[in-house]
Amino acid sequence: MFFKVLHILDSYLPETMNWIDSILQSTGSNCEHHIAARYHINDYKLKYPMVPGSLTSTYPVPIYNKVLCSLLDLSSSSRLYNYVIRESIDIIHFHFANTAIRQMHLIEKLKIPILISFYGFDYEYLVKSKSGTLKAYQNLAHLGCRFIVEGRYSRNVLLEYGIPSRQISILHLLFSRNGILKPINWQSPIRLIQAASFTEKKNQLALLEALQDRHAGRLKIVMIGEPVDKNYYAEIQKLLVKKVNHSIRILDKMTPDRYLNHLMKHHFAVNLSKRSKSYDTEGGCPIFIKDSLNLAKPVISTSHCDIPESVIHGFNGYLTDATNLKAIEDTLDRVLKLSQKAYNGLCINAFQSVNVNSLNNITGEELNNIYAACL
């Protein structure tokens, strides 16, 4: 079957959210993709037809643009409706639940299948911070919308919200990555990398706080990401002053190719995700973790949300307690005691745990099946 799909999201960010582009590419042979974004980030060239009316902006989006966009939202429903009719769109696919809530009137008016993908803050943060969100999710389900999650944990969250199981589909986000897969030499300093926006749930601070004097010179850490939470980023900068005897580099967000090139040069990936004080969570499993496994990089992570479905303790990485600095410290010590043979085994397991599904384009196959089931 062939589908014309309109993807609706806040901002189309091929770098910060490169997985959106990967999702579209995974179904490219079966779909004609269209994009509707509230903000057109002005230094990104568009690969797909885009609904007119997006506000050109820098990113992060300035406050004055957010105010202006809220006024433009008043006419967005009719603009999107006309586009759907004119282009004979088969399916609307919302990315992040708040975008679907914003277009509730459009959903009520249209008589085509509606899909809503959840990714992180829409699981718990929105429900806790914005009254009416849970009721809105239930209303969307009543309207016949289908919900897409990443794994069993995230599926159970929606079940607890009263979303019928028949309207929830699991989509494994796993994309083919090309790179050098041979394990690198296990020699000091051991190179650790994390690629994630600087926010409390990404928990970069815990890794830095767990570093002890005995780790100095034996670990080399690179963190890639943009300072989304300015206050959290300021805490990290303050801590770096106290960790001057450690090798720690912070790099800004970068193109997907540069990011993957950095990843290939490191021994371990680190992602110590946790639930933030405001209930922001990963919801599923970060793409960074799956990219790392796909490039034969073992992962140090936590038992947060759907992460344990990908990272198996002692097999392709290590799971630790995101809130226990001593546990993180002990994990770092365990890593430093590895032999080349033991490290090679972790690398092989990392690669084999995802490679077959990646090569067979599991994401594209599952999403095509979800689309087909809608019609």
Side-chain angles (χ1 to χ4, degrees):
M1 296 180 70
F2 189 82
F3 315 100
K4 294 182 74 171
V5 184
L6 174 61
H7 299 267
I8 300 180
L9 55 159
D10 267 334
S11 304
Y12 177 51
L13 302 171
E15 289 182 2
T16 305
M17 301 192 308
N18 62 75
W19 42 269
I20 288 281
D21 231 22
S22 297
I23 288 174
L24 303 187
Q25 291 170 17
S26 74
T27 54
S29 61
N30 296 85
C31 297
E32 178 182 304
H33 294 296
H34 297 246
I35 301 288
R38 296 176 82 207
Y39 303 104
H40 174 204
I41 307 308
N42 52 17
D43 55 351
Y44 294 136
K45 294 181 180 179
L46 298 173
K47 297 180 181 179
Y48 306 97
M50 191 165 189
V51 178
S54 293
L55 180 66
T56 300
S57 177
T58 55
Y59 190 84
V61 178
I63 293 294
Y64 60 83
N65 273 353
K66 291 182 178 180
V67 173
L68 179 57
C69 197
S70 66
L71 298 175
L72 294 175
D73 282 343
L74 298 174
S75 63
S76 65
S77 180
S78 60
R79 188 171 66 248
L80 289 169
Y81 179 83
N82 291 334
Y83 188 89
V84 168
I85 301 303
R86 185 175 70 250
E87 297 295 330
S88 300
I89 298 296
D90 298 310
I91 297 168
I92 290 184
H93 189 164
F94 288 96
H95 297 272
F96 294 99
N98 60 314
T99 61
I101 293 173
R102 192 181 297 122
Q103 294 297 339
M104 191 77 79
H105 292 306
L106 174 69
I107 293 170
E108 291 172 343
K109 193 174 180 181
L110 287 171
K111 303 300 180 185
I112 64 174
I114 306 292
L115 293 167
I116 306 166
S117 282
F118 282 59
Y119 295 105
F121 70 89
D122 32 14
Y123 283 100
E124 297 183 44
Y125 169 77
L126 283 182
V127 173
K128 298 284 186 180
S129 64
K130 295 192 175 183
S131 61
T133 298
L134 178 56
K135 183 63 177 175
Y137 290 173
Q138 293 166 347
N139 287 342
L140 289 167
H142 182 71
L143 290 169
C145 298
R146 295 174 182 242
F147 299 75
I148 297 178
V149 299
E150 293 181 55
R152 292 187 297 271
Y153 175 92
S154 44
R155 181 178 184 273
N156 287 335
V157 172
L158 294 195
L159 288 174
E160 290 177 3
Y161 290 164
I163 308 301
S165 60
R166 66 182 180 278
Q167 290 174 241
I168 305 173
S169 298
I170 291 177
L171 176 64
H172 296 96
L173 299 181
L174 179 61
F175 310 112
S176 181
R177 303 301 193 196
N178 297 319
I180 300 169
L181 301 177
K182 182 180 178 181
I184 55 181
N185 290 335
W186 187 252
Q187 58 186 27
S188 188
I190 302 307
R191 298 190 290 278
L192 310 181
I193 185 171
Q194 178 170 6
S197 298
F198 287 92
T199 61
E200 185 187 351
K201 76 174 178 183
K202 296 297 184 180
N203 206 22
Q204 291 96 335
L205 202 58
L207 174 61
L208 302 183
E209 288 176 334
L211 291 173
Q212 303 300 308
D213 288 342
R214 66 180 179 276
H215 299 142
R218 302 180 67 195
L219 293 172
K220 192 172 184 179
I221 298 170
V222 167
M223 293 180 168
I224 302 171
E226 57 186 326
V228 171
D229 184 332
K230 306 296 184 185
N231 293 330
Y232 186 74
Y233 188 70
E235 287 185 62
I236 288 174
Q237 292 291 336
K238 189 182 299 183
L239 183 59
L240 289 177
V241 176
K242 301 177 182 178
K243 301 287 183 178
V244 289
N245 57 331
H246 294 273
S247 176
I248 304 167
R249 288 179 67 203
I250 293 182
L251 304 176
D252 198 3
K253 70 180 192 305
M254 55 187 64
T255 64
D257 286 344
R258 283 190 62 211
Y259 144 70
L260 292 172
N261 187 53
H262 274 281
L263 182 50
M264 282 186 286
K265 296 176 181 177
H266 287 75
H267 293 99
F268 267 83
V270 182
N271 195 104
L272 302 174
S273 297
K274 68 174 185 177
R275 178 180 284 102
S276 74
K277 296 184 186 71
S278 61
Y279 291 91
D280 192 10
T281 71
E282 299 288 1
C285 175
I287 299 298
F288 167 65
I289 288 178
K290 297 177 184 180
D291 283 348
S292 301
L293 297 173
N294 221 347
L295 292 176
K297 303 301 174 186
V299 178
I300 300 170
S301 194
T302 63
S303 298
H304 175 78
C305 295
D306 286 320
I307 291 173
E309 289 189 30
S310 296
V311 181
I312 302 168
H313 184 68
F315 178 73
N316 58 6
Y318 299 108
L319 296 175
T320 188
D321 185 343
T323 61
N324 186 330
L325 292 181
K326 183 63 169 62
I328 299 170
E329 176 188 333
D330 291 344
T331 301
L332 295 177
D333 289 337
R334 180 174 181 176
V335 165
L336 288 171
K337 291 176 183 176
L338 288 173
S339 64
Q340 179 76 62
K341 181 179 179 181
Y343 174 67
N344 288 352
L346 288 169
C347 292
I348 291 169
N349 292 341
F351 178 67
Q352 291 182 344
S353 65
V354 297
N355 181 248
V356 172
N357 282 333
S358 170
L359 288 178
N360 290 328
N361 188 21
I362 187 175
T363 302
E365 181 180 343
E366 289 181 346
L367 188 52
N368 278 326
N369 290 338
I370 292 170
Y371 286 160
C374 289
L375 297 173

